[in-house]
Amino acid sequence: MKRNTIIGGAAFAAVLLGGLGWWASKDAPASEEAASEAPGGELSPEQIKRMGITTEAASAASSAELGTVPGVITLPPEARVAVTAPFGGTVLRLFVVNGQAVTKGQALAIVRSIEPVQYGASLAKGEAQLAVARANAARTGQLAKEGIIAGARADEARAALREAEVAVSENRRILSQSGASAGGEVTLRAPITGKLSAVAVQTGGPVDGLTAPFVIENTASFMIDLQIPERLAGEVRPGMAIALADGGDTSIEGQIVSVGGSIDQETRALVAKARINGSPALVSGKAVSVLLKGGRAVAGVGVPAAAITQLGGKDIVFVATGKGFTRREVTVAGRGAERVTLASGVKVGERVATSGLSELKVLLGGE
């Protein structure tokens, strides 16, 4: 009797272990599959509306921008022009103020100087001497030809004539270029169209030929000093297209003209320079964000930048399902100001959440 009881207990234990093994083998594939899939959450349309969640369909993308980098607006080296006075003197009248827009040839100030009067006197004296030198050269040349005087004297007369001609020509050129009147008044004019960035004189004040009383900036075009991060050091090249990421409704575009050859040890960035078109919204010294465009061809999926968030240090999106949303890890191929190109994680046509991401992270991400 006791032996039968032991056998029956052993048989029952074997059946129980077999049943547990069957249940374990039955649940194992399901648990592994659940572990490989991103967690999902069920939400009704009313809940989605209440949480303020909006979605947008992912679209095909054929290229990716390299990203957005900081920059500072500067002027091209040829954009600044200094206006100098040809002679030292005193400002009689001032017609402009700092920051004023001027056109080429516009009068900026009138300066009175004694030097143009002196040059005028030298010119008149030189013209008189020139007439005498010309007559003397003609007479001595004729006498030398007749053999009355030595030819050396004729050569001396011709040299004196040439000296007088040079003196008259030089004085005349100086007075012509300065635009000075007979009374010594010189009008300083704008050599280019632009905006006055410096006015260093005032009415009644002195001017000289060593300093610039006016500086004019041509704002038809600008440059940007870019800080290229170390990770993009090998991908940014001259000729690459750029655009201001915060240009507003106006599209302001340009291209890179030079890239530095070494990384700054303090900022860990390359310095690059780009040219852009002028705009009333731009001013030298303004900090901007610049989008590096056309960096590389990538066949991927484009989603709004607002759809990307991070969880555990990884980029994720929330993809709409028939019953709610599921979390997906994604690989970013390029970031733009408004769109992000994904290399993996989302298919074309799938809808991703573009708002309410904080609520979805709490629901699906465990935050």
Side-chain angles (χ1 to χ4, degrees), residues 15 23-24 114 119 150 163 221 242 250 252 267 281 286 319 326 360:
V15 172
W23 280 106
I114 191 63
Y119 277 105
E163 183 178 353
S221 63
I242 65 164
T250 304
I252 303 176
T267 62
K286 181 179 179 180
V319 181
T326 184
L360 289 173

Side-chain angles (χ1 to χ4, degrees), residues 83 93 107 109 111 118 127 137 166 212 244 248 264 268 277 287 300 309 324 358:
V83 181
R93 297 185 65 184
V111 176
Q118 294 172 342
E127 288 175 339
V166 170
L244 290 193
D264 187 270
R268 303 305 302 171
N277 298 326
T309 187
S358 298

Side-chain angles (χ1 to χ4, degrees), residues 65-71 227 229 231-232 243-246 288-292 335-338:
E65 294 85 1
L66 290 182
T68 302
V69 298
Q227 294 290 324
R231 62 183 176 83
L232 298 179
L244 290 193
D246 47 6
V288 294
S289 295
V290 180
L291 177 64
L292 303 177
R335 297 180 187 270
E338 298 180 356

Side-chain angles (χ1 to χ4, degrees), residues 181-199:
S181 65
E185 294 183 356
V186 180
T187 301
L188 302 183
R189 300 183 180 276
I192 63 170
T193 297
K195 183 179 293 186
L196 284 166
S197 63
V199 177

